[in-house]
Amino acid sequence: MIKFDNVNKWFGSHHVLKDIDLEVPEGKVAVICGPSGSGKSTLIRCINRLEKIQSGEIFVDGTAVHGKNKLTELRAEIGFVFQQFNLYPHMSVIDNITLAPTKVKKMDMNQAKELARELLVKVGIEEKAHAYPVQLSGGQQQRVAIARGLAMNPKIMLFDEPTSALDPEMINEVLEVMVKLAKDGMTMVVVTHEMGFAKEVGDSIVFMDDGAIVERNSPATFFTNPEHDRTRQFLNKILP
Amino acid sequence: MLENFNFRIIIEYFPLFMQGLWGTVSLSFFSLIGALLIGLIVCVARVSRVKIFSIPAIIFTEAVRSTPLLMQLFFLYFGLPSLGVRLGEVETGIIALSVNSGAYIAEIIRAGVMSVSQGQIEAATSSGLNFIQRLRYIVMPQAIGVTIPALLGQMIVLVKDSALLALISVLEITRAAQLLASERFMPAEGFFTAALMYLFLYYILKWISSYWQKRLIYTQA
Amino acid sequence: MQEFYINSLIDSLPFFFKGWFITLELSGISLITSTIGGLILGVLKYLRIPIIKYIVAGYVDLIRGTPFLVQIFIIFFILPEWNINLEAFASAVLALTIYGIAYICEIVYSALETISKGQVEAATSSGLNLFQTLRYVILPQAYRPILPPLVGQYVLMVKDTAIVSVIGLTDITRVGWLTVQRIPDGILVFGLVGIFYFVTCYPMILLANHLERKFTIQSSSL
Ligand SMILES: Nc1ncnc2c1ncn2[C@@H]1O[C@H](COP(=O)(O)OP(=O)(O)OP(=O)(O)O)[C@@H](O)[C@H]1O
Ligand SMILES: [Mg+2]
């Protein structure tokens, strides 16, 4: 479904992604972790070309992302959830969700609203349809952001530290939604340090350091018996 | 000092001043429309990141902002005929005001555009919205909201700037005062009346502006 | 024809330079006087001295609410009626100063407002008097928010000196106006005038932008 083929990226002279090879099969969940500045965000942002790469190629569903000119359809197939939610503050919750379906897919407004309501039920905040983002808690905003991503009926969902900006008591409500999505068979790439989530639904865990993938393993091996010292050190730091 | 102030003459010239008031208001209004159009186009060209659009937009804004309106007015007033374009004083004046304010409004809107977070734009990009759609649905609605007070400020500037059109004989408030001053040799009566009329317009606009600011704070809370 | 115009324009260049010097002289003097006046008035407003507060506010509204052209006409035509006779240059400096003060005073005042009241309280409770508090505590902090808009205001004032050409001062704009009577090509003549303004104002705009970037970055990293 997603395939990185020897991808390299520089910011100026700063080499931030080094020879990345990675595959995420359909319906599987890849969890990416690693220290700050290791390139996790950059890696995930390359998948829908929010960042350009300088060599190698990324394939989504068989299409080369960076060789392609027409991005709209590709981006419509990939939902993206940001650390900072990035809801549109001038629109109500329901308008946030219906914007892309009606403008990009030209879906009928009534149909889009129907869809939005279903998605709000799915993320558990159907009563907030007409609220504005500032009136919601962080956890609620992030669930709206997930619903907004799902509204384009994507084949893939990308998450960049979706719970890092949340107060601890709100983290679970967001993770629950994500677990449900994973169990429904969504292909997901998730940058997170929530290791409970990784154990429960992760199919593979990727550890990045300094722009390179150091280790990639099933959760069982990754947590109990990592191959690399660097991984072990990192786990010692973040695991309770 | 003002013991000789002649109120009679002001009453006599009142109809002329009313015409002048109307002139100032309508000149400012049409120039504002023109300036908004120019400002919007120049701003979009500037943020487009396409060099053949953004570079002319930058040159235009910087050239307008580094030269006086009076010079621009003379440039068009004496310059358009030598290009073979014959326009009336009113049209020339409106064009000069629109071009001048357009450059400032472009910057005002651009500041509003910049105030919309990069993250929202990325979110919109990720869900497949193209450049125009991002401007239309995400950036502009928010940019306009925060720029309204600055635009009203520009409107105040525009009202005052329109006084310069008196120098190319367009009838507005200052021209009315000039006529009174030169026909009856009563500059004090003329220019104090003019100043009062401008203050009247100024306070109206200021009041609208503070009303908006309050609303803005209210809706953000 | 065009070539003839260009040649006679080149012959008039010394005239243009003279006009430019008048513009610079006028701007330079008025910038200094109005900065001093604006600082004083801004501080007075900040100190919230009851009566002065209203006088300053009224003065600022009066100047900001009326066109500079009308102000200069009032000063030039009406002062003589009250037996105050100033020559054109002095009238122009006076008008520009009165005008500049009103704007600079607001810049100073809003910059001072950004400094927390706690600073004043801390300084006065450690025994500094009002003047010392201003001199050592408040103004050194205020120059950052003051400088960028102040330079921006200078640009506006240099441009507004063009308007004093209406009372007969032979600044660069009036030189253009006089020249266009002889050389009837407005694009050429006022294009040249524009170049003089551009080389004067554009560096100031760049400076204002630079100061703005410098000071906002520094203060956000505090
Ligand atoms: N737009 C940019 N321009 C220049 N350098 C950048 C840019 N974005 C990121 N970088 C650099 O690239 C490197 C990788 O950044 P990235 O944001 O991908 O790290 P990360 O693993 O997501 O870190 P974090 O856990 O802090 O989010 C960092 O050294 C960062 O400073
Ligand atoms: Mg990151």
Side-chain angles (χ1 to χ4, degrees):
Chain A
M1 193 66 158
I2 306 173
K3 187 170 183 297
F4 281 70
D5 188 1
N6 202 20
V7 169
N8 280 281
K9 171 166 184 69
W10 284 264
F11 279 119
S13 61
H14 186 17
H15 198 172
V16 282
L17 292 182
K18 300 173 181 163
D19 299 329
I20 302 290
D21 283 304
L22 180 67
E23 215 167 320
V24 185
E26 184 162 2
K28 301 290 181 191
V29 176
V31 172
I32 300 176
C33 60
S36 179
S38 56
K40 308 177 296 291
S41 297
T42 310
L43 178 122
I44 198 172
R45 288 159 61 88
C46 287
I47 299 176
N48 71 347
R49 221 171 102 178
L50 280 178
E51 304 285 355
K52 294 202 176 99
I53 58 176
Q54 276 78 38
S55 78
E57 185 51 277
I58 299 169
F59 299 91
V60 169
D61 218 3
T63 339
V65 175
H66 290 260
K68 210 174 158 205
N69 286 327
K70 193 113 178 74
L71 278 169
T72 315
E73 298 130 45
L74 175 93
R75 282 181 171 148
E77 289 179 2
I78 305 174
F80 202 118
V81 176
F82 300 84
Q83 180 174 351
Q84 298 299 340
F85 329 137
N86 292 335
L87 295 180
Y88 313 130
H90 60 301
M91 294 179 178
S92 65
V93 163
I94 194 133
D95 291 343
N96 262 277
I97 299 174
T98 55
L99 181 70
T102 53
K103 302 306 171 195
V104 179
K105 280 192 175 167
K106 313 288 178 205
M107 188 187 276
D108 169 69
M109 187 43 112
N110 288 327
Q111 204 185 336
K113 284 197 168 153
E114 195 47 47
L115 169 69
R117 282 205 194 87
E118 282 167 27
L119 290 170
L120 285 174
V121 171
K122 193 166 184 171
V123 299
I125 36 172
E126 59 273 30
E127 74 282 4
K128 296 290 184 189
H130 296 286
Y132 280 82
V134 283
Q135 299 166 315
L136 303 181
S137 72
Q140 291 171 329
Q141 288 192 48
Q142 193 61 299
R143 285 185 282 154
V144 174
I146 295 175
R148 181 177 67 178
L150 291 172
M152 294 296 277
N153 194 19
K155 296 180 181 155
I156 296 169
M157 285 291 282
L158 308 176
F159 295 83
D160 188 1
E161 305 208 30
T163 56
S164 305
L166 297 178
D167 294 333
E169 70 272 18
M170 293 172 184
I171 291 179
N172 275 332
E173 64 191 50
V174 172
L175 289 178
E176 273 164 26
V177 172
M178 291 169 61
V179 167
K180 206 157 55 173
L181 261 183
K183 290 191 169 157
D184 287 350
M186 176 67 77
T187 310
M188 292 167 49
V189 181
V190 184
V191 176
T192 188
H193 291 153
E194 292 296 331
M195 290 304 145
F197 172 83
K199 276 181 198 158
E200 187 176 351
V201 295
D203 295 293
S204 62
I205 319 277
V206 177
F207 173 64
M208 286 186 75
D209 194 10
D210 197 22
I213 294 182
V214 176
E215 174 158 357
R216 180 182 176 216
N217 252 319
S218 67
T221 328
F222 189 87
F223 290 111
T224 51
N225 196 11
E227 286 166 27
H228 290 263
D229 284 344
R230 293 241 290 287
T231 317
R232 200 164 293 137
Q233 286 162 9
F234 178 74
L235 285 175
N236 282 340
K237 252 188 259 165
I238 65 162
L239 287 182
Chain B
M1 264 158 57
L2 286 176
E3 60 271 19
N4 303 324
F5 203 81
N6 188 339
F7 287 99
R8 278 247 183 79
I9 199 80
I10 295 176
I11 294 170
E12 191 187 325
Y13 270 77
F14 194 70
L16 183 69
F17 272 104
M18 277 299 141
Q19 277 180 16
L21 180 65
W22 175 242
T24 295
V25 169
S26 53
L27 287 168
S28 312
F29 177 76
F30 287 117
S31 305
L32 183 71
I33 305 280
L36 279 172
L37 281 176
I38 294 175
L40 211 58
I41 293 169
V42 171
C43 173
V44 170
R46 184 148 185 191
V47 300
S48 70
R49 300 222 183 103
V50 183
K51 285 214 169 67
I52 44 164
F53 296 131
S54 64
I55 289 178
I58 291 174
I59 293 176
F60 169 78
T61 349
E62 300 298 346
V64 170
R65 294 200 306 161
S66 1
T67 53
L69 172 61
L70 184 58
M71 182 232 100
Q72 293 158 12
L73 183 64
F74 285 163
F75 181 80
L76 293 173
Y77 184 68
F78 294 107
L80 287 180
S82 47
L83 290 178
V85 184
R86 303 224 153 260
L87 289 178
E89 282 86 6
V90 173
E91 289 81 0
T92 309
I94 290 179
I95 292 175
L97 287 174
S98 303
V99 166
N100 181 274
S101 275
Y104 290 91
I105 287 180
E107 287 298 286
I108 291 172
I109 300 179
R110 193 165 74 96
V113 167
M114 294 302 167
S115 74
V116 177
S117 72
Q118 188 62 27
Q120 284 178 51
I121 295 167
E122 285 179 354
T125 310
S126 300
S127 55
L129 271 68
N130 62 32
F131 176 75
I132 298 292
Q133 289 172 324
R134 294 196 296 263
L135 272 179
R136 163 89 179 70
Y137 299 109
I138 309 302
V139 178
M140 284 305 170
Q142 297 183 67
I144 297 294
V146 299
T147 50
I148 290 283
L151 286 177
L152 282 164
Q154 188 60 33
M155 182 73 193
I156 292 176
V157 172
L158 205 47
V159 167
K160 291 188 291 170
D161 279 351
S162 68
L164 291 185
L165 302 198
L167 302 176
I168 57 169
S169 317
V170 175
L171 179 59
E172 41 66 72
I173 296 173
T174 308
R175 182 69 186 154
Q178 265 187 325
L179 289 174
L180 170 55
S182 60
E183 288 169 8
R184 301 295 178 89
F185 308 105
M186 292 185 182
E189 286 77 356
F191 292 119
F192 281 128
T193 310
L196 273 180
M197 297 181 98
Y198 282 112
L199 280 173
F200 170 71
L201 293 177
Y202 170 73
Y203 280 114
I204 293 181
L205 288 169
K206 211 176 142 174
W207 179 78
I208 297 177
S209 176
S210 65
Y211 172 79
W212 245 99
Q213 222 122 23
K214 266 183 224 135
R215 247 194 64 163
L216 212 63
I217 293 164
Y218 173 75
T219 49
Q220 277 168 354
Chain C
M1 207 55 176
Q2 188 84 8
E3 197 179 328
F4 170 74
Y5 287 160
I6 293 178
N7 282 333
S8 41
L9 205 56
I10 291 175
D11 289 338
S12 325
L13 263 183
F15 193 31
F16 276 80
F17 272 97
K18 256 190 206 152
W20 188 44
F21 287 135
I22 300 273
T23 296
L24 292 181
E25 202 179 344
L26 204 56
S27 314
I29 296 176
S30 329
L31 293 193
I32 294 171
T33 50
S34 49
T35 305
I36 296 171
L39 264 177
I40 294 173
L41 239 58
V43 169
L44 285 180
K45 187 170 175 193
Y46 174 70
L47 294 177
R48 295 206 161 63
I49 302 166
I51 308 167
I52 291 185
K53 195 177 114 185
Y54 294 109
I55 296 176
V56 173
Y59 161 69
V60 168
D61 266 356
L62 216 58
I63 299 300
R64 303 188 117 189
T66 53
F68 181 58
L69 180 64
V70 171
Q71 294 164 20
I72 198 156
F73 277 146
I74 289 180
I75 286 178
F76 190 68
F77 289 116
I78 298 174
L79 287 188
E81 290 194 9
W82 300 342
N83 291 323
I84 304 170
N85 289 302
L86 296 175
E87 49 172 315
F89 191 84
S91 306
V93 170
L94 182 64
L96 281 166
T97 306
I98 292 175
Y99 168 79
I101 286 177
Y103 287 86
I104 293 176
C105 136
E106 284 298 286
I107 291 174
V108 172
Y109 170 73
S110 33
L112 292 176
E113 283 290 283
T114 63
I115 297 164
S116 83
K117 285 276 173 294
Q119 295 283 311
V120 180
E121 283 161 14
T124 42
S125 40
S126 69
L128 297 182
N129 66 28
L130 189 62
F131 180 75
Q132 288 167 325
T133 306
L134 282 172
R135 164 84 179 71
Y136 297 107
V137 180
I138 304 303
L139 289 179
Q141 299 185 54
Y143 81 95
R144 282 175 181 206
I146 288 178
L147 271 185
L150 185 64
V151 177
Q153 182 59 36
Y154 287 169
V155 176
L156 293 182
M157 288 183 64
V158 172
K159 290 190 288 172
D160 284 328
T161 60
I163 295 175
V164 303
S165 60
V166 300
I167 57 169
L169 263 186
T170 324
D171 75 322
I172 183 75
T173 297
R174 186 160 162 84
V175 168
W177 192 84
L178 293 170
T179 309
V180 87
Q181 321 287 331
R182 275 189 306 119
I183 309 173
D185 186 329
I187 301 280
L188 218 55
V189 172
F190 283 100
L192 181 59
V193 172
I195 291 174
F196 278 96
Y197 279 111
F198 186 82
V199 299
T200 316
C201 294
Y202 194 57
M204 295 170 75
I205 292 182
L206 292 182
L207 176 65
N209 291 347
H210 169 76
L211 290 172
E212 181 137 37
R213 266 197 308 275
K214 187 170 152 196
F215 290 154
T216 45
I217 287 167
Q218 280 193 356
S219 55
S220 66
S221 68
L222 280 176

